[in-house]
Amino acid sequence: MKVAFLALAMLSLAASANVAVPPAHFLAIVGDWNVTNDHFLQVDGRQWIKGQPSAGLAAKARTIYGAKHEEFIDSVKAYAYFPYAVAKDVDDFRDGEISIRFRLLAGQLDQCAGILFNLKPNGDYLTVRFNGKEDNLVLWTFKTGKRSFVKKGSENVHLPLGEWHTMKIVVKGTKLEGYLNGKLLLEYTMANPASGKIGVWSKTDSISDFADYTVSMP
């Protein structure tokens, strides 16, 4: 099964000048996520440096996890300076691929874009992200309110601001692969097979665009 819903969602929205249009297929949990006039999903993290969850967090958490939302809310607030939005159309991603196009636009503290996966009802998740300040692709885990480094890509890569690039993760059981512009940079064996919700991710004051979010599952 292949789902390519980011581009479709954007093309169906007519973003007017100076009007923030929320994405149709993503639920903003942390940060300011909107569809631009060019039909891209953009995160603007400048106003989220102090670590505030997105407006209406409790209602959004109930939408995702129902009666189990309280633990999720507590976890989100623990590290709310990492903006992310959850894909509405994928309930449980296990084996398969997730790919995006992204471009980094600005950010004094960070310039990040990433793929979020393995999101649990308690708020734990994994993310593979590229950081333009560090020129690297890294796998991070967020567990019980703590962020931990897992593994760095095999080489540093400099990506100029304002240019489009591709990122992809491939999950097969406990095996994870991370690709940047088609090149395999990250290989890791997880303790447990991935399962759960997925989305897009960023950090602190990053301003980044996302397009062509595509999910492929057997």
Side-chain angles (χ1 to χ4, degrees), residues 25-98:
H25 290 268
F26 288 86
L27 197 63
I29 302 300
V30 178
D32 185 12
W33 297 83
N34 289 293
V35 177
T36 69
N37 293 332
D38 296 325
H39 309 299
F40 303 127
L41 177 62
Q42 184 175 98
V43 58
D44 186 344
R46 289 173 295 183
Q47 61 180 303
W48 300 100
I49 297 174
K50 295 182 180 179
Q52 303 174 37
S54 185
L57 174 60
K60 293 175 180 178
R62 283 194 296 270
T63 298
I64 299 174
Y65 290 119
K68 299 179 180 180
H69 69 278
E70 292 296 340
E71 188 177 8
F72 180 81
I73 292 173
D74 290 341
S75 181
V76 168
K77 290 180 178 178
Y79 35 74
Y81 49 93
F82 298 102
Y84 72 89
V86 174
K88 297 179 182 179
D89 299 339
V90 179
D91 290 329
D92 189 12
F93 174 83
R94 295 175 183 262
D95 288 357
E97 300 181 3
I98 304 173

Side-chain angles (χ1 to χ4, degrees), residues 187-205:
E187 294 182 275
Y188 183 72
T189 300
M190 300 176 288
N192 300 291
S195 65
K197 295 185 179 297
I198 59 176
V200 285
W201 185 95
S202 187
K203 186 180 178 185
T204 54
D205 66 338

